[in-house]
Amino acid sequence: MIKTEKILHLKSCRGRKVRVVREHYLREKVPCYSALCQADCENDGKVLPADLTHYVVPDVGVVVDYLEILEFRELQGVVFTQTACQAVQHAKGRRQYNRLRGLLKDPRHDCVLFANEFQEFSYVQRERGESLEEWQTRCVYSAAVWYRNHLAGLMDVVMITEDQETVSRYSSLNSGVYVISVQDFLLNFWPDLQAAHDLYSSISQVLQEKKESENSQKEFSEHLPAEVLEAGIKSGRYIKGALNVSKHRAQSEASITATEGLSEKNKDLSGGVFISGVKNRNRAVHGDVVVVELLPKSEWRGRAMGLSEGQGEEKGGVEENQSQPLPTGRVVGILQRNWRDYVVTFPPRDGSQSQSRNSQRILVVPWDHRIPKIRISTQQADTLQDHRVVVRIDSWEISSLYPNGHSVRVLGRAGELETEVQTILIENCIHVPPFSDAQLREMPPNSPEKPWAMDPDQVAQRRDLRETHLVFSIDPQGCEDVDDTLSVRRIAGGKLLELGVHIADVTHFVREGSLTDLEARSRATTYYLADRRFDMLPAVLSAELCSLLGGVDRYAMSVLWELDSQTLAVTRVWFGRTVIRSSYQLHYELAQALLNGEPVRVPELTALTSEERDAKLAQLTEALETLTHVARHLRAQRDRGGALELEGVEVRAQLDHEKNITALVPRQPLEVHETVAECMIYANHWVALKIQETFPHQTLLRCHPQPRDEFFSQLVESAMAGGFSIDTRTNKALADSLDRAVDPQDPLVNRLLRMMATAAMSEALYFSTGLLSQDQFYHYGLALDRYTHFTSPIRRYADIIVHRLLAAAIAAAEGEEPGKSLAGHKELDEMAQHINNKNRAAKRAQKLSTELFQNLFFKERDPQTDPHCVADAIIYAIRDNGVLAFVPEYGLKAPVYLKNREGQVISVGPDGGCDWQSGSVRRSSDHISTTSTCGSSTFRLFAHITVRISVRSNHFHADSLNLEIISNKPHSSAEPEKPRPQGRSQLVQEVVRLAEEASQQAQEEAARRPRVSREEREYRQSKSPNLYSLLEEVRELALLDLETAAAAAAQVCATTA
Amino acid sequence: MGNVVQSEARGAVRFSSVEVCGNMAGLELLSDQGYRLDGRKATELRKVQARMGVFAQADGSAYLEQGNTKALAVVYGPHEMRGSRSRTRHDQAVINCQYSMATFSTAERKRRPHGDRKSTEMSLHLKQTFEAAVMTQLYPRSQIDIYVKILQSDGGNYSVCVNAATLAVIDAGIPMRDYVCACTVGFVDETPLADLCYAEESGGVSSLALALLPRGGQIALLQMDARLHQDHLETLIEAAMTACKGVSKVLDEVVRQHLQESSVLSGE
């Protein structure tokens, strides 16, 4: 490489005008990344194909304003110039720039970056007096010409621009290099790409209007410049944080969550800073990173304490009760916009729509309550009435009450199932297109005529367990993607037990960096919605080649422990790649039946004679019993360490053939679930130990931080009202006190308390070990010092990473040099963040879709007549004008109002029936009472009431369920759950004290297992309701309820202060 | 490692534009394609140009440009001790260094009085570097003065001073163990960047300055005052040594060319 010449740039920095002279080196060889290259450029990475009709070079203005159009995968052969990329960085900020970078890195997009300013012949110097824009255009044009010449005229180059002057100036200079406008380009080359055309007109309209609107009237105060903010944050004058808008009072309440350094500097701000009203929020949108200035103490406000009914629609009126004033601030600047795609609904045309001078501008209402209305301009307003549309926000002018946006695509009519499901996906930033052909081509061939077979070389390299070990899997019924199998046997004359966990060897099929791998990485997890799922890996892998099905040979990644058969202490561990053949593919109910000694039919054994069958059955049952024994021991070990048993509510909608909902079924665990879960936790734990030991600074682990004390306040308070004391100092103390808090009359109380404890938990997270110090690796919920995810590589990307790490660790232990360098700490950290985000999104989408189906279930029923709509509920929290109730039958939590908008309150008649009367509500810590003309009535915490469930439809947002109290007595048909004698006493020694009632419910559940519909069989996967997945799911719910927890915390502060 | 070849310098093109203003903190020091801000790759040095014997009245002198950093070095000596005689060493020469920056060397004109902390420290570093390289034992009871002035500053001041002073010492005919070559390296995105310019130095990079006697591979001075993970130190030093060796090639060429020219002039 030769440095040819040096050219000086002159720059001046913001503020004072300082001349900075920079060198600029040019070189002859700059890779062109084209397959047509004649000059042997060093093209590694993405290369533009040779079989295109033209390459596209977008002008600076096009890249800055119309990047979204260039994001269409249909557009091929796009050459981004360095000039344009830098312009994006300057004009649009880091977020947009990162988006462009992501585009360039993504192998699915056919576009490359050309460093035109470093190429000797494509670089042009800026001339005296030449404006920046002119120079940039000249640069891009010269790059386009260079491409044409570099490829020896084999490819036509099209430069697209928005500037007509450029078109007229350059279009006739060179043959083969065409300069045309974006519109012409789309019309000529992509006449069929309707989506791009729509997007183009939508964006250009926005730009047009931006030019026109030079309104002087200011609605908000100006944001401060970046340096002032930076300095302010450093000096402690301002506070930086992510804006979190209240879900229930989006109009008036928001807060910023404390970020690093804040709590140290200022103790009373550890709970965040409250921001009251839209004015103080100053154009920040939920999720933005903002800078806040504290207001003087006299202007501090408190949160409203009552339950809000109308989602913040009501304005003014009665002054509501407020909590103690919180530290309150106002937004002075925005560091980072975190705008994403929003789903909005077009309002129906009723004339009341405020239309400012231009009839094409419309205020649309986002689906997410926390996002303000968005003003968009479109010509399709009439046709799009009542439709849900994806919208992006462009800007928020200081003169406008609402942000401006443009529409991207139409999802469909509001209220239809498909539209709603799409809405859920987009609102959670989940993007799951079907797998592309290129990705599917990477899959090993497997067809009925030519089934996939194992490679003898591979078999030779692996440990063969097919003959020696009895391997079996336990999964939900009808499961397709079996990623974990178990084995257990006695060795060394019965002195030792060998426990084995065999996990599908996904990394054998998914090579690092392949298209499948990249797709899996960007999905990060399989998404389960109530009625469908989106796989992380193509079906040929997830359901066939990786799935450890019964009776076929499969590759596996195994962990084998040798345990002392008496003390169950580990004497040796072996990790490695193996070949296995699963003998039995059991499901949970079957395994439990085998354990209980009930006569069952094992499908694998039906062909055998009865003696053979009995022998095999005895062998299997013995293995299962041993496994249960070991699992109990492991559980006991963890219990001593303080593992928590938590309670989650999960409801599954049962669908029939037409996708109508027949019932809502809460899911509950069996004991064998726990056994399997325990083995998986153990495997995860040991793998975590192994890889962390080998790669101390670049391992992906999972930690669960200790929850913050203030989140427990609701739990402690509620428990106190019920007469229990909860000790939250350590996880051990918490687990013990939760076990003690049992109301013999009402098992639900304990369940509720556990649910509240779960809600208080912080979220378990993946992290790179280089990031945290060793004492932060602790998993609070499981009481383990190291934990990771290893056992479900088919549906989680984190497990794939861990598999690769483990493989590298095994290779390192054998003295081999790792073939490819592993992901560095920084890369791993980014990956962990990405996976955490995606997991969060997946959980949220799952919860939303369950709610969607819940709503559909109740929507079809008439609340006045249908018996399904009347249910038993239990009060678990008290608010100013109502209570929060939990309906165990459907597993739903919702507010129940005791006072309605007209000021009427519930009054209880002599028979327990309730009706609305005028009166007042008084609230104390453990009960709430209403007084009306007919006397007063009291509702205590943990009291059972009967509620009627109805759906409150909402045109713009998701529907929500409404609970109406109809009686203060328990619902008559709700069968009281009596403690049952347990069938476990005859089982082997009881080492562990297990929560009484989990097993009770398990027994009950086993008794009334719902019939499995076709849909379920088709879609159900090994997403087993076992304990540890439950733990995590529930934690997600906890995250969503953080707001209520925070509100509760604030409330406590208020009462104690 | 890229070869460094000299070529004619182009004049600076000046724009009085205000538009090209970038947020200094947000600069991307190493692009995804591996280019740095000024178009160099990670291991490439800036262009080095040098002339020896620029002043006649001094014993030795040199002018060196490394990119936009320009330095003038002048050597007097060895001569007998001046000033306080108490510093005299009976077995070796004393090296006296003085570093200064011109008032016009940075973007803002600023008076720079002698003896401020920064230049004192720099003088001390230079002194240590040359004590390790010059064969001082040949000149007992004498003194060698090295004066270096930065005429234009664009990052890597220390290394440019060392390189310039080396040439000046050679010009003065003072025996040295080897050329002393210095270079700064920085650490960005797990990659060592050779020969930092000012924009890179001020962009929050942990940088390391290293002076090397390239033939033996001995380190004359190593200085780093930023935070860096211990694991990365070795790669960083490795990169610095490679860069120094690159510099030494250029200096060697300069010296040979100078010799040729002067021998032609003296008619030999």
Side-chain angles (χ1 to χ4, degrees):
Chain A
M1 265 167 286
I2 293 168
K3 276 163 222 141
T4 46
E5 61 199 288
K6 175 164 79 176
I7 287 160
L8 304 181
H9 268 262
L10 197 79
K11 293 211 167 194
S12 71
C13 272
R14 199 181 299 203
R16 278 176 312 195
K17 287 188 183 171
V18 181
R19 285 207 317 226
V20 177
V21 184
R22 284 230 184 113
E23 293 170 275
H24 193 94
Y25 289 92
L26 301 179
R27 62 185 74 223
E28 203 178 347
K29 285 250 175 192
V30 170
C32 64
Y33 299 110
S34 164
L36 279 176
C37 182
Q38 311 290 312
D40 302 326
C41 286
E42 290 172 24
N43 296 326
D44 47 349
K46 265 202 296 189
V47 170
L48 295 180
D51 55 353
L52 296 176
T53 54
H54 62 276
Y55 286 161
V56 186
V57 182
D59 189 14
V60 174
V62 177
V63 178
V64 170
D65 292 327
Y66 295 93
L67 184 61
E68 288 166 47
I69 293 178
L70 300 171
E71 274 172 0
F72 277 97
R73 288 191 196 171
E74 286 83 354
L75 296 189
Q76 285 182 309
V78 184
V79 178
F80 287 103
T81 52
Q82 181 195 8
T83 315
C85 289
Q86 276 168 357
V88 168
Q89 199 180 5
H90 289 313
K92 291 276 186 160
R94 174 158 291 190
R95 193 173 149 79
Q96 192 78 359
Y97 179 62
N98 280 343
R99 194 159 151 186
L100 178 56
R101 270 173 67 184
L103 198 67
L104 288 165
K105 273 188 202 153
D106 194 338
R108 295 168 293 185
H109 283 278
D110 199 16
C111 59
V112 295
L113 174 68
F114 172 54
N116 63 320
E117 289 186 24
F118 297 144
Q119 215 291 331
E120 198 181 340
F121 303 110
S122 76
Y123 178 69
V124 287
Q125 273 188 31
R126 189 161 166 193
E127 271 151 26
R128 201 178 276 275
E130 190 177 25
S131 82
L132 183 67
E133 286 76 22
E134 280 171 31
W135 174 68
Q136 284 174 336
T137 308
R138 209 152 59 87
C139 278
V140 174
Y141 181 72
S142 123
V145 173
W146 181 85
Y147 253 89
R148 169 84 183 160
N149 295 337
H150 181 74
L151 302 178
L154 293 172
M155 182 64 77
D156 288 345
V157 179
V158 179
M159 172 171 162
I160 52 175
T161 176
E162 265 308 275
D163 189 10
Q164 288 307 320
E165 209 176 299
T166 312
V167 176
S168 56
R169 186 157 150 207
Y170 292 109
S171 57
S172 52
L173 283 184
N174 268 293
S175 68
V177 180
Y178 305 97
V179 181
I180 55 175
S181 72
V182 181
Q183 194 163 18
D184 290 343
F185 171 75
L186 287 174
L187 283 176
N188 291 332
F189 293 99
W190 303 99
D192 304 328
L193 201 59
Q194 194 52 44
H197 287 275
D198 290 349
L199 196 54
Y200 172 77
S201 58
S202 158
I203 299 174
S204 56
Q205 211 150 17
V206 168
L207 290 174
Q208 192 73 35
E209 260 159 34
K210 206 162 152 192
K211 259 183 227 162
E212 288 168 10
S213 70
E214 290 301 316
N215 209 332
S216 58
Q217 186 199 356
K218 284 184 181 169
E219 298 282 351
F220 295 100
S221 49
E222 204 81 62
H223 287 157
L224 298 176
E227 298 95 351
V228 180
L229 296 179
E230 203 94 346
I233 294 167
K234 276 205 183 119
S235 68
R237 233 182 103 206
Y238 299 143
I239 299 144
K240 172 184 150 186
L243 186 80
N244 191 4
V245 177
S246 159
K247 219 183 289 179
H248 305 293
R249 276 171 234 277
Q251 290 279 315
S252 56
E253 291 187 0
S255 61
I256 64 162
T257 38
T259 45
E260 71 317 323
L262 181 67
S263 40
E264 291 149 35
K265 263 186 234 156
N266 200 337
K267 273 283 181 248
D268 22 313
L269 295 182
S270 58
V273 178
F274 184 67
I275 295 161
S276 161
V278 178
K279 273 264 152 36
N280 285 336
R281 212 180 293 162
N282 199 357
R283 291 175 283 157
V285 177
H286 176 77
D288 290 351
V289 178
V290 297
V291 177
V292 172
E293 179 186 40
L294 279 183
L295 292 170
K297 257 204 170 112
S298 56
E299 291 175 41
W300 284 13
R301 309 274 309 268
R303 281 175 204 274
M305 294 295 281
L307 296 162
S308 80
E309 208 159 345
Q311 304 290 6
E313 296 291 342
E314 78 264 54
K315 274 201 174 175
V318 203
E319 187 64 29
E320 281 186 276
N321 288 347
Q322 287 189 343
S323 66
Q324 284 285 313
L326 301 165
T328 307
R330 67 183 187 92
V331 174
V332 290
I334 295 173
L335 288 181
Q336 174 83 72
R337 287 286 192 189
N338 277 327
W339 290 338
R340 55 178 172 88
D341 289 4
Y342 299 105
V343 176
V344 301
T345 312
F346 273 73
R349 199 56 137 203
D350 57 357
S352 68
Q353 177 78 81
S354 62
Q355 281 151 8
S356 55
R357 65 210 162 77
N358 193 334
S359 65
Q360 290 163 352
R361 305 178 99 190
I362 283 199
L363 274 181
V364 291
V365 186
W367 188 81
D368 191 338
H369 290 293
R370 295 170 295 194
I371 309 302
K373 288 181 186 167
I374 301 169
R375 181 184 299 117
I376 66 172
S377 43
T378 173
Q379 284 147 345
Q380 299 169 289
D382 285 322
T383 51
L384 288 179
Q385 270 180 54
D386 291 337
H387 279 67
R388 297 233 200 269
V389 177
V390 182
V391 160
R392 286 180 195 144
I393 300 184
D394 297 312
S395 62
W396 194 336
E397 302 305 324
I398 199 159
S399 56
S400 153
L401 272 177
Y402 299 103
N404 295 318
H406 64 268
S407 64
V408 178
R409 74 192 157 98
V410 181
L411 291 179
R413 195 165 275 284
E416 282 167 10
L417 180 63
E418 270 319 301
T419 314
E420 297 301 316
V421 171
Q422 283 299 320
T423 304
I424 290 173
L425 290 180
I426 287 170
E427 278 294 312
N428 288 295
C429 301
I430 296 173
H431 186 56
V432 277
F435 290 99
S436 71
D437 288 343
Q439 281 155 2
L440 292 177
R441 249 178 273 132
E442 286 183 350
M443 298 295 105
N446 182 32
S447 57
E449 309 88 62
K450 220 178 117 196
W452 172 83
M454 292 211 287
D455 182 2
D457 289 348
Q458 274 293 329
V459 177
Q461 281 171 25
R462 288 159 182 265
R463 186 163 158 186
D464 194 339
L465 307 180
R466 281 176 292 183
E467 303 303 324
T468 50
H469 288 62
L470 173 74
V471 178
F472 53 90
S473 63
I474 309 178
D475 280 293
Q477 206 158 19
C479 171
E480 283 175 347
D481 56 348
V482 185
D483 40 21
D484 46 77
T485 55
L486 295 160
S487 72
V488 67
R489 60 169 188 167
R490 286 182 188 279
I491 51 173
K495 266 194 295 208
L496 293 176
L497 270 179
E498 192 191 46
L499 175 67
V501 170
H502 316 279
I503 306 298
D505 193 359
V506 174
T507 49
H508 173 76
F509 296 100
V510 182
R511 298 258 174 255
E512 189 160 9
S514 65
L515 289 176
T516 321
D517 183 50
L518 293 170
E519 183 68 38
R521 187 181 303 175
S522 75
R523 293 184 186 205
T525 171
T526 294
Y527 298 96
Y528 296 88
L529 302 188
D531 64 333
R532 67 194 73 190
R533 71 160 204 271
F534 299 98
D535 283 327
M536 185 178 79
L537 296 171
V540 64
L541 288 185
S542 63
E544 303 264 345
L545 300 183
C546 288
S547 180
L548 304 173
L549 302 168
V552 283
D553 293 349
R554 287 286 181 259
Y555 295 138
M557 198 81 157
S558 297
V559 186
L560 294 171
W561 298 271
E562 281 175 18
L563 310 170
D564 188 293
S565 60
Q566 289 307 312
T567 61
L568 294 181
V570 177
T571 56
R572 215 168 72 87
V573 198
W574 181 86
F575 302 92
R577 292 196 135 120
T578 53
V579 180
I580 61 159
R581 183 191 294 144
S582 169
S583 317
Y584 303 99
Q585 202 178 341
L586 305 175
H587 52 91
Y588 285 110
E589 293 74 29
L590 189 67
Q592 188 68 51
L594 278 170
L595 276 173
N596 294 351
E598 293 161 25
V600 285
R601 235 185 87 241
V602 179
E604 280 87 352
L605 297 178
T606 42
L608 300 176
T609 63
S610 64
E611 300 98 70
E612 272 182 273
R613 193 189 311 159
D614 285 347
K616 290 252 181 189
L617 213 56
Q619 192 193 5
L620 176 61
T621 314
E622 198 214 325
L624 282 174
E625 273 167 6
T626 323
L627 206 60
T628 315
H629 170 69
V630 174
R632 277 191 197 144
H633 177 78
L634 296 177
R635 171 76 200 178
Q637 258 179 357
R638 284 203 301 114
D639 272 332
R640 274 199 294 281
L644 292 174
E645 182 163 346
L646 300 169
E647 184 68 45
V649 203
E650 206 188 338
V651 179
R652 206 178 49 239
Q654 243 182 57
L655 310 172
D656 64 12
H657 305 289
E658 284 80 44
K659 291 211 173 181
N660 293 321
I661 305 141
T662 53
L664 292 176
V665 193
R667 285 204 241 195
Q668 274 148 356
L670 285 170
E671 199 210 341
V672 66
H673 287 142
E674 220 167 272
T675 306
V676 175
E678 208 55 55
C679 293
M680 295 307 142
I681 292 172
Y682 204 50
N684 287 337
H685 174 52
W686 277 91
V687 168
L689 287 176
K690 168 84 180 171
I691 54 179
Q692 202 259 331
E693 184 190 50
T694 320
F695 306 109
H697 298 303
Q698 41 186 27
T699 302
L700 187 77
L701 294 188
R702 194 168 168 86
C703 71
H704 182 205
Q706 168 124 18
R708 302 238 304 268
D709 255 355
E710 53 261 38
F711 291 153
F712 280 124
S713 53
Q714 193 195 359
L715 170 69
V716 174
E717 221 178 58
S718 302
M720 209 119 78
F724 311 111
S725 74
I726 298 284
D727 185 354
T728 59
R729 276 170 306 180
T730 64
N731 46 2
K732 174 81 175 142
L734 179 63
D736 290 346
S737 54
L738 276 176
D739 287 333
R740 281 197 301 275
V742 178
D743 185 347
Q745 304 301 316
D746 190 358
L748 270 175
V749 171
N750 186 270
R751 220 176 124 192
L752 270 176
L753 288 177
R754 283 184 196 279
M755 253 163 52
M756 278 185 233
T758 311
M761 294 293 150
S762 38
E763 192 189 13
L765 292 169
Y766 297 106
F767 68 101
S768 164
T769 45
L771 191 71
L772 298 179
S773 66
Q774 291 237 350
D775 51 330
Q776 287 171 295
F777 292 1
Y778 189 68
H779 198 290
Y780 180 84
L782 295 173
L784 292 171
D785 53 350
R786 303 279 186 279
Y787 193 67
T788 190
H789 269 167
F790 166 71
T791 51
S792 297
I794 298 182
R795 60 187 179 85
R796 287 190 303 231
Y797 193 74
D799 300 51
I800 293 187
I801 299 173
V802 170
H803 272 239
R804 287 188 185 129
L805 282 167
L806 180 62
I810 295 167
E814 284 166 4
E816 282 174 40
E817 283 295 306
K820 220 185 308 168
S821 62
L822 287 158
H825 152 61
K826 211 170 148 195
E827 202 179 320
L828 207 57
D829 181 41
E830 267 168 31
M831 196 103 79
Q833 294 304 335
H834 167 74
I835 296 176
N836 284 333
N837 287 340
K838 284 291 173 186
N839 273 347
R840 218 168 285 155
K843 294 284 146 71
R844 214 174 296 139
Q846 192 179 10
K847 182 172 175 254
L848 285 172
S849 82
T850 312
E851 280 173 5
L852 174 67
F853 277 88
Q854 259 173 0
N855 292 337
L856 287 177
F857 176 77
F858 289 111
K859 211 172 194 171
E860 286 167 1
R861 286 167 170 76
D862 177 12
Q864 297 305 326
T865 54
D866 198 301
H868 283 291
C869 293
V870 177
D872 187 48
I874 181 167
I875 298 173
Y876 74 92
I878 307 265
R879 291 280 179 273
D880 267 2
N881 56 350
V883 295
L884 298 180
F886 170 66
V887 182
E889 192 180 343
Y890 302 113
L892 42 100
K893 290 190 225 168
V896 179
Y897 299 98
L898 297 178
K899 184 177 186 177
N900 65 9
R901 272 161 153 185
E902 286 79 51
Q904 290 178 315
V905 298
I906 283 285
S907 84
V908 181
D911 59 338
C914 297
D915 53 356
W916 295 101
Q917 296 274 343
S918 55
S920 64
V921 179
R922 238 190 39 245
R923 164 207 174 162
S924 68
S925 68
D926 64 338
H927 65 270
I928 180 165
S929 48
T930 61
T931 318
S932 67
T933 46
C934 308
S936 70
S937 45
T938 306
F939 297 89
R940 303 195 74 82
L941 206 56
F942 296 121
H944 283 263
I945 52 174
T946 307
V947 292
R948 175 178 296 131
I949 305 165
S950 59
V951 177
R952 189 173 37 222
S953 355
N954 192 325
H955 179 70
F956 298 118
H957 309 289
D959 296 343
S960 56
L961 288 176
N962 189 21
L963 299 189
E964 194 189 343
I965 186 162
I966 56 174
S967 165
N968 68 346
K969 304 248 163 60
H971 185 43
S972 51
S973 69
E975 70 264 45
E977 297 182 54
K978 291 198 199 80
R980 278 197 195 178
Q982 289 184 37
R984 201 186 291 158
S985 47
Q986 80 258 29
L987 294 172
V988 221
Q989 84 242 57
E990 185 87 25
V991 249
V992 205
R993 146 226 65 60
L994 284 163
E996 297 271 316
E997 170 214 314
S999 63
Q1000 255 174 51
Q1001 284 163 0
Q1003 308 267 350
E1004 272 181 21
E1005 176 65 12
R1008 54 176 170 90
R1009 193 73 203 170
R1011 97 196 142 78
V1012 183
S1013 71
R1014 191 180 59 83
E1015 246 75 19
E1016 262 186 306
R1017 233 172 288 129
E1018 187 175 332
Y1019 288 122
R1020 188 141 55 134
Q1021 295 266 303
S1022 64
K1023 191 174 173 305
S1024 48
N1026 54 24
L1027 200 73
Y1028 80 114
S1029 68
L1030 214 91
L1031 265 172
E1032 279 146 22
E1033 272 151 27
V1034 155
R1035 203 150 298 129
E1036 299 308 329
L1037 298 177
L1039 179 84
L1040 296 173
D1041 282 351
L1042 265 186
E1043 225 153 52
T1044 44
Q1051 191 180 322
V1052 172
C1053 297
T1055 46
T1056 49
Chain B
M1 175 59 224
N3 256 343
V4 186
V5 170
Q6 300 179 47
S7 67
E8 102 283 14
R10 285 265 186 96
V13 183
R14 300 250 153 94
F15 305 114
S16 54
S17 87
V18 195
E19 298 112 312
V20 204
C21 70
N23 180 1
M24 289 299 263
L27 283 178
E28 190 185 35
L29 294 178
L30 189 65
S31 78
D32 292 333
Q33 291 190 325
Y35 293 108
R36 290 156 67 175
L37 289 172
D38 50 11
R40 287 182 287 157
K41 299 257 170 144
T43 56
E44 288 170 351
L45 301 175
R46 291 181 285 180
K47 190 165 64 176
V48 181
Q49 287 171 297
R51 265 172 60 205
M52 292 168 72
V54 284
F55 294 134
Q57 59 273 63
D59 292 314
S61 60
Y63 167 78
L64 187 129
E65 284 181 14
Q66 199 163 337
N68 276 339
T69 307
K70 295 165 188 173
L72 196 60
V74 179
V75 171
Y76 292 95
H79 53 75
E80 69 184 57
M81 291 296 294
R82 291 194 193 126
S84 73
R85 298 195 170 258
S86 55
R87 289 188 298 135
T88 316
R89 307 281 297 265
H90 71 277
D91 57 343
Q92 64 181 63
V94 170
I95 293 184
N96 173 36
C97 287
Q98 212 167 75
Y99 164 89
S100 60
M101 281 175 91
T103 47
F104 48 82
S105 61
T106 50
E108 235 173 317
R109 193 188 138 89
K110 191 173 159 192
R111 277 193 60 82
R112 294 167 198 280
H114 271 292
D116 64 315
R117 277 171 182 274
K118 232 168 89 182
S119 58
T120 314
E121 188 194 5
M122 191 70 97
S123 306
L124 206 65
H125 284 151
L126 288 174
K127 183 178 165 181
Q128 283 169 353
T129 313
F130 281 94
E131 274 172 354
V134 175
M135 302 179 81
T136 45
Q137 72 275 16
L138 297 180
Y139 306 102
R141 291 187 204 84
S142 48
Q143 178 181 352
I144 299 169
D145 295 320
I146 303 176
Y147 300 100
V148 196
K149 191 160 191 106
I150 292 286
L151 300 177
Q152 189 177 341
S153 161
D154 187 31
N157 289 355
Y158 166 76
S159 28
V160 176
C161 287
V162 170
N163 297 337
T166 305
L167 292 183
V169 170
I170 290 170
D171 187 42
I174 300 170
M176 292 212 287
R177 293 187 175 83
D178 193 356
Y179 295 96
V180 212
C181 303
C183 198
T184 48
V185 281
F187 198 70
V188 172
D189 293 341
E190 316 266 311
T191 321
L193 302 187
D195 199 7
L196 302 180
C197 69
Y198 177 74
E200 288 167 332
E201 265 185 353
S202 57
V205 183
S206 31
S207 68
L208 173 148
L210 182 114
L212 188 79
L213 304 178
R215 231 163 294 179
Q218 293 133 317
I219 293 175
L221 185 116
L222 187 144
Q223 187 213 0
M224 186 171 75
D225 34 35
R227 284 170 62 98
L228 183 82
H229 197 284
Q230 188 186 342
D231 295 359
H232 300 138
L233 185 61
E234 206 161 322
T235 50
L236 205 54
I237 291 181
E238 201 68 38
M241 285 168 87
T242 329
C244 287
K245 282 174 188 158
V247 174
S248 87
K249 270 186 214 151
V250 185
L251 296 191
D252 194 50
E253 205 169 315
V254 172
V255 171
R256 281 173 203 284
Q257 202 175 349
H258 176 70
L259 276 177
Q260 212 159 24
E261 278 166 19
S262 43
S263 54
V264 167
L265 280 179
S266 58
E268 284 169 21

